[in-house]
């Protein structure tokens, strides 16, 4: 690849990274929020390298120092090299679709960690907002069975469970980036499956299946109400949903 093309590619990629990380939340579809400073730094480095390359080339032209290049570089840029511009342009012009039910149905399930220090009393709020992980942990590990008679509210997106018409409320979790994403799911009962990828705030009570407080208990909810909500800012975590400020 000739140097002018390399310079343009560096600058374009840097601008794309800065655009995605500084002016939009598109970067959250690639990596977790904590990596934003690194994306900004990478974008700046690439942009500066591109500008430096352009400045050096212009200085050589002003000095007339191009003979060596013209004397030895008789090759054009390979056509396949132009494909490198596609991901750079996509950062500027195209936001990739959010990961959703298709990915969740094929991604590995994130194991729920063991609560070693016991469970704090649940607040009296009703319905009680919980993450899918916290609900699962309470159902399968809390021997006090505190969640058994509580109305809870869970937030996630719809993933069809199979041909039986069942469905899961789901969250996708980035450990680092989209490549290592895992899912946490809670099975929903009592209502037909809404359209896949629909974000919902679901209110209900634990669906009795297995022995509550043990590993035999199913992380499942009898749905009382399911309200469509906007996809939260922190869509790729299993935290309580944040909304745009």
């Amino acid at each position: 690849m000739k140097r002018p093309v390399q310079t343009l590619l560096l600058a374009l990629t840097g601008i794309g990274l800065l655009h995605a990380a500084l002016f939009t939340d598109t970067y959250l579809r690639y990596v977790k929020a904590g990596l934003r400073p690194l994306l900004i730094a990478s974008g700046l480095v690439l942009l500066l390298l591109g500008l430096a390359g352009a400045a050096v080339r212009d200085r050589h032209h002003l000095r007339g120092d191009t003979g060596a290049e013209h004397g030895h570089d008789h090759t054009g840029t390979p056509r396949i090299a132009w494909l490198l511009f596609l991901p750079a342009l996509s950062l500027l012009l195209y936001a990739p679709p959010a990961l959703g039910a298709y990915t969740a149905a094929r991604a590995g399930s994130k194991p729920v960690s063991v609560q070693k220090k016991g469970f704090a009393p649940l607040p009296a709020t009703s319905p009680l907002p919980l993450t899918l992980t916290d609900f699962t942990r309470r159902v399968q590990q809390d021997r006090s069975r505190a969640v058994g008679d509580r109305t809870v509210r869970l937030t996630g997106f719809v993933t069809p469970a199979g041909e039986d018409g069942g469905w899961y409320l789901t969250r996708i979790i980035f450990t680092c980036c989209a490549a290592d994403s895992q899912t946490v799911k809670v099975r929903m009962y009592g209502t037909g499956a809404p359209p896949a990828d629909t974000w919902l705030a679901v209110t209900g009570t634990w669906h009795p299946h297995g022995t509550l407080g043990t590993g035999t208990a199913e992380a499942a909810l009898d749905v009382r109400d399911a309200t469509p909500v906007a996809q939260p800012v922190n869509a790729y975590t299993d935290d309580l949903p944040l909304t745009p400020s």
Side-chain angles (χ1 to χ4, degrees):
M1 182 182 292
K2 287 187 176 182
R3 182 163 297 177
V5 180
Q6 294 174 342
T7 299
L8 179 60
L9 181 59
L10 284 171
L12 190 61
T13 303
I15 292 171
L17 283 176
L18 292 174
H19 175 265
L22 285 175
F23 304 110
T24 74
D25 61 1
T26 304
Y27 74 96
L28 292 173
R29 300 185 182 185
Y30 300 100
V31 299
K32 64 181 184 179
L35 294 179
R36 186 185 189 191
L38 293 178
L39 285 182
I40 295 172
S42 299
L44 285 172
V45 169
L46 290 173
L47 178 58
L48 291 174
L49 286 173
L51 293 176
V56 169
R57 180 172 178 81
D58 288 343
R59 188 159 58 247
H60 285 172
H61 275 292
L62 289 174
R63 291 164 49 189
D65 186 18
T66 59
E69 180 179 342
H70 290 166
H72 296 283
D73 186 5
H74 300 287
T75 61
T77 300
R79 291 182 180 180
I80 195 170
W82 293 101
L83 295 178
L84 295 173
F85 281 87
L86 295 180
L89 288 171
S90 72
L91 292 171
L92 287 169
L93 305 176
Y94 172 73
L99 300 182
Y102 180 86
T103 301
R106 293 158 177 80
S109 295
K110 183 176 178 62
V112 175
S113 61
V114 176
Q115 183 82 9
K116 296 181 179 180
K117 296 183 179 180
F119 290 87
L122 291 172
T125 306
S126 185
L128 174 66
L130 290 174
T131 67
L132 304 191
T133 298
D134 287 341
F135 177 75
T136 301
R137 189 180 288 121
R138 287 276 184 175
V139 166
Q140 297 181 344
Q141 300 178 29
D142 185 2
R143 297 303 178 93
S144 72
R145 304 180 181 180
V147 79
D149 58 354
R150 297 294 303 273
T151 300
V152 301
R153 182 172 69 244
L154 310 178
T155 302
F157 64 86
V158 176
T159 299
E163 297 180 355
D164 61 356
W167 58 288
Y168 294 97
L169 198 67
T170 311
R171 294 295 291 261
I172 291 177
I173 303 169
F174 285 3
T175 302
C176 174
C177 59
D180 62 13
S181 62
Q182 296 178 305
T183 63
V184 57
K185 303 176 186 176
V186 174
R187 182 69 182 254
M188 299 288 118
Y189 290 93
T191 182
D197 294 319
T198 303
W199 278 85
L200 300 173
V202 180
T203 301
T205 55
W206 177 63
H207 175 78
H209 187 277
T211 302
L212 187 61
T214 73
T216 66
E218 182 182 21
L221 204 70
D222 283 326
V223 178
R224 293 183 181 175
D225 180 70
T227 303
V229 295
Q231 177 177 307
V233 173
N234 56 335
Y236 299 116
T237 68
D238 188 30
D239 300 320
L240 293 178
L242 300 174
T243 55
S245 56

